[in-house]
Amino acid sequence: MAETDEPEKKRRRVVELTEKMLVDGDTGSTSDWDDRWNHIKKFLERSGPFMHPDFEPSTESLQFMLETCKILVIGAGGLGCELLKNLALSGFRNIHVVDMDTIDVSNLNRQFLFRAKDVGRPKADVAADFINSRVPGCCVIPYFKKIQDLDETFYRQFHIIVCGLDSIVARRWMNGMLLSLLVYEDGVLDPSSIIPLIDGGTEGFKGNARVIFPGMTACIDCTLELYPPQINFPMCTIASMPRLPEHCIEYVRILLWPKEMPFGDDVSLDGDDPEHIQWVYQKSLERAAEFSITGVTYRLTQGVVKRIIPAVASTNAAIAAACATEVFKIASSAYLPLNNYMVFNDVDGLYTYTFEAERKENCSACSQVPSDLHFSPSSKLQEVLDYLTESTSLQMKSPAITTTMDGKNKTLYLQSVASIEQRTRPNLAKTLKELGLADGQELAVADVTTPQTVLFKLCFTS
């Protein structure tokens, strides 16, 4: 009986404390009950075979996590909800979360911090309220903003940043921001300026988690080839020779909807409107039957229209758990962090492996030296622009190109401001020689994928 009494006594103790908190309304108390952090103490207050060789077991690591460590979670969607829950239950109390989206009905099947009554409200606000009310002592501070709306001072305050994003552009921007915070003294990186970035991503039954120490390990842009550009089907295939169910759906989305305008002249296709998706689905089935193509489903139709890959809750849970574990390792210094990329796949069975992504010496984001651009003097500026957007190692979206001539800054092409775009558009048809550019000249390129200006050096080829 003695062996079974102790667990039962602990269980009753937890029940009593929970009931007391509910009765007293004391869900936000910062006080801890006995044994609350026993599961964490087992890792921090005793040695083990997997501990970091330089780690000394003590009570200080837990106190740092509970009282000092400040974590930023970017994204409060499928991954973000899991991350917030995991971090709050792992002893992290000072958590901030940034998300620019509001809650949609389609989120409720996997983003478990939200309820039907929350539809339309900011994800960050609702997620923070839920965690704060559910986990005693935890303080989650929400920001209903774009990450680009927050400045260097904001990001500099955090010990660790965790990303649960579904956008490559946002990942690259965050990567660039942390690189811009690095401090170099006589060319030597100051370790105190490094803010570790843990990045998680999921696509259906596949996912990945990675650990980045900016300036030391491979950054997002070092491995940009791992994030292939979005697939766009050729128009001739869509219109004349469809072979895949996606071709049939794209035909309806791009060609049939604007032609038939089924819901009125001024009504654009809404991927979240069930009636719109149902219409596209039915027309896609007709198109598929015409060419004996199978595989058109309602879910695939919505995925193609919204440019999304259906999310799977179990994949989000696995990747978020891996990311939260890496946060714990880095914050406590008790274990060696992941080195540095973990791949997860449960399409057929369960398969996972890790590898070390290597830092690129000529990375445009983190190498500290301008990347070379090899073009002939007779190449047109349009060719340079195409390279910046189409290269798998750059994948820029709307690059603005400037240079310095005779000590003055000259804009060669800028797309984001209509008046300047109109004025600089003729430069795209000019050769680099006609623009007055010389071998070895530096070009400064600004883009939405990074908060920093990226420098390139022209290397003329014969």
Side-chain angles (χ1 to χ4, degrees), residues 97-143:
V97 59
V98 180
D99 195 294
M100 61 176 284
D101 288 338
T102 55
I103 299 165
D104 183 74
V105 173
S106 63
N107 303 147
L108 302 181
N109 70 332
R110 64 195 181 281
Q111 298 173 24
F112 55 86
L113 300 183
F114 311 140
R115 301 292 182 265
K117 64 182 175 60
D118 301 319
V119 170
R121 291 185 60 198
K123 288 184 177 180
D125 292 352
V126 176
D129 289 345
F130 192 104
I131 295 293
N132 290 339
S133 64
R134 192 66 176 267
V135 184
C138 190
C139 178
V140 181
I141 300 175
Y143 302 86

Side-chain angles (χ1 to χ4, degrees), residues 27-28 35 82 97 107 110 128 140 149 158 161 213 215 230 238 270-271 279 295 300 303 306 309 332 336 389 416 435:
T27 55
D35 303 332
E82 292 279 358
V97 59
N107 303 147
R110 64 195 181 281
V140 181
D149 294 337
F158 297 102
I161 295 178
F213 291 94
Q230 184 175 323
I238 294 171
D270 183 355
W279 186 89
L300 178 65
K306 295 181 68 176
I309 296 173
S332 66
L336 288 169
T389 55
S416 57
L435 290 169

